[in-house]
Amino acid sequence: MSRALTGPLSFGLLKALASPEGVGGFDYLATDGQALPFTVATTPPGVYDSNTDQTWFFWDAWNGELPLRVNVRVYDHATATWSEIWTAGLSPLTNEDHGVPAAFRDAGGYWHVFFGSHNSPLQHWVTAAPDDPSLFVRQTAVDSDSAGLYTYAHPNLVGSAVYLFLRDTTDAADYSLVLKKGTISAGVVTWDAKVEVGKFGDGDSRWYQGTNVVRGTDIHMLATKALLNDTKRQNVYYLIYDTLTGSVKNFDGSATVASGSFPIDLSTLNTSFRVVDQITGGTDGNVPALCFDAADHPHIAYMDGTSGGGWSLKHTMHDGSSWTSPATVGAFASNNILHRYDGFTVAPGQDGGVEAWWVTASAFAFTRGGDISRRKRSSGGV
């Protein structure tokens, strides 16, 4: 079984993970990470596979020359060692940090990585052999039915099929969420036609997909709504895609939208799928993150604040009966539009609880990340 790392990880975190000594004495996992090696809007860049007891990490790399490339390094948990760095694909983008990787391992052991698109052709490369990172082979473009207008891949394996969620900019005034389902044979994917799952429909929107987490045959998904000019990203929406029926339901099961009624529009999303309302309070944030604790409770981390007033990292969870009141986990340093580059995530902790990780921007002029903070929440809620 493979398990996606729940939420985007900053490159600094990977540096820390590269050494058993942790943050206090780490070595670099790599020194070629470009401006955003991976982002909050494209996941997962890292996948743990229990069949091999390995974790594969992918990142967007730049060594000073074009083309940009996606690299991979494999951590063997049994021996506590890292592999050498391998090239997983070459990117067509230049001077561009949106086309970062998202990956999955199929049932036959082939590793797939999607990258290199920002309203442009989506790259898909696959290992030439199962569980072997030494050679990846470029596949036919995924987006032949969208004129190269996909961005932000979210691949999820359920059974032997891959469910690839993407943002589609075919409608230049209303970016939507689409699904491409693929059947796999010896690492080769045959794609179904795209299905438009969600579209705000107000003529002034961008869909940003947060973390996807597979639970049985369901795919739990978070999303947020941005203005078309991307000056604000607001609300957290919680959708559950049922792979058996092709429908989408809300968390408590009180609303289900059949595929024949897609795309789900703004009115339905606000009424039945919104779990955090930032419109009423006049705040905004960024792309949210999701994970589950050992008791199977979902936890959501999201950004909340205002320009000039600063942004905080907030946390809410469903305790089995309702969503808890948002708690402030920490603060981000950015006090302007650059807050969108302050990455964060929430992930399962070793004691059955969860951990929140977020970037506290440094004093340098570089606007892509900075120092990393972490807070733990135990299984007992402390």
Side-chain angles (χ1 to χ4, degrees):
M1 181 186 73
S2 60
R3 176 171 58 83
L5 300 182
T6 55
L9 297 171
S10 92
F11 204 58
L13 175 55
L14 288 190
K15 295 175 187 176
L17 291 174
S19 168
E21 298 174 1
V23 177
F26 63 76
D27 192 5
Y28 287 100
L29 177 76
T31 58
D32 60 355
Q34 69 128 320
L36 279 177
F38 22 75
T39 73
V40 297
T42 301
T43 60
V47 178
Y48 169 73
D49 175 56
S50 62
N51 298 285
T52 58
D53 197 24
Q54 293 180 337
T55 296
W56 290 42
F57 281 114
F58 297 80
W59 68 92
D60 216 11
W62 182 61
N63 62 3
E65 298 180 354
L66 295 176
L68 298 174
R69 63 188 64 225
V70 167
N71 285 343
V72 61
R73 202 171 182 188
V74 180
Y75 183 75
D76 188 305
H77 292 264
T79 61
T81 57
W82 288 93
S83 74
E84 62 183 285
I85 296 174
W86 300 97
T87 296
L90 304 178
S91 175
L93 297 179
T94 59
N95 193 27
E96 166 70 88
D97 58 13
H98 288 76
V100 299
F104 80 97
R105 179 188 187 269
D106 70 29
Y110 291 87
W111 287 80
H112 303 245
V113 60
F114 303 90
F115 64 94
S117 68
H118 187 207
N119 312 326
S120 58
L122 178 67
Q123 303 298 300
H124 175 204
W125 292 54
V126 181
T127 56
D131 297 318
D132 181 358
S134 64
L135 179 62
F136 282 73
V137 179
R138 183 177 179 178
Q139 307 297 297
T140 302
V142 175
D143 46 6
S144 59
D145 58 355
S146 190
L149 295 176
Y150 290 151
T151 311
Y152 306 135
H154 289 70
N156 302 106
L157 184 72
V158 180
S160 59
V162 58
Y163 296 81
L164 179 62
F165 290 89
L166 302 147
R167 193 182 72 182
D168 188 355
T169 56
T170 298
D171 184 340
D174 211 328
Y175 303 173
S176 61
L177 175 69
V178 299
L179 167 65
K180 294 276 290 185
K181 180 183 177 182
T183 55
I184 309 170
S185 177
V188 177
V189 181
T190 301
W191 297 102
D192 292 348
K194 71 175 180 181
V195 175
E196 192 173 47
V197 177
K199 185 175 184 179
F200 294 110
D202 62 355
D204 186 22
S205 296
R206 298 183 182 204
W207 187 291
Y208 280 101
Q209 188 80 345
T211 315
N212 288 7
V213 180
V214 175
R215 310 295 287 177
T217 57
D218 290 337
I219 303 173
H220 292 240
M221 311 185 297
L222 298 184
T224 194
K225 179 186 185 296
L227 298 177
L228 189 62
N229 64 10
D230 205 17
T231 55
K232 283 189 176 182
R233 301 174 182 178
Q234 294 177 300
N235 297 340
V236 177
Y237 300 96
Y238 197 122
L239 303 88
I240 303 175
Y241 182 81
D242 186 331
T243 63
L244 298 180
T245 65
S247 62
V248 171
K249 56 191 174 184
N250 63 2
F251 182 78
D252 64 11
S254 62
T256 299
V257 180
S259 58
S261 297
F262 289 171
I264 308 170
D265 62 16
L266 180 58
S267 176
T268 302
L269 287 162
N270 282 343
T271 300
S272 300
F273 294 88
R274 185 170 59 186
V275 295
V276 175
D277 175 10
Q278 294 179 308
I279 301 292
T280 302
T283 61
D284 62 86
N286 206 346
V287 185
L290 171 70
C291 80
F292 285 78
D293 63 24
D296 207 33
H297 294 142
H299 293 252
I300 296 173
Y302 65 97
M303 183 181 286
D304 188 66
T306 59
S307 182
W311 281 268
S312 297
L313 180 64
K314 300 283 190 176
H315 166 268
T316 182
M317 64 167 289
H318 199 281
D319 59 12
S321 58
S322 63
W323 293 100
T324 60
S325 297
T328 299
V329 179
F332 297 96
S334 297
N335 196 28
N336 52 42
I337 194 64
L338 298 179
H339 75 283
R340 71 181 58 181
Y341 303 120
D342 291 340
F344 59 92
T345 192
V346 63
Q350 293 183 343
D351 66 348
V354 298
E355 299 180 357
W357 298 74
W358 71 100
V359 170
T360 301
S362 68
F364 299 105
F366 184 66
T367 60
R368 299 294 202 264
D371 296 336
I372 299 169
S373 296
R374 178 182 67 166
R375 287 190 70 181
K376 296 182 179 181
R377 186 184 190 278
S378 72
S379 57
V382 179

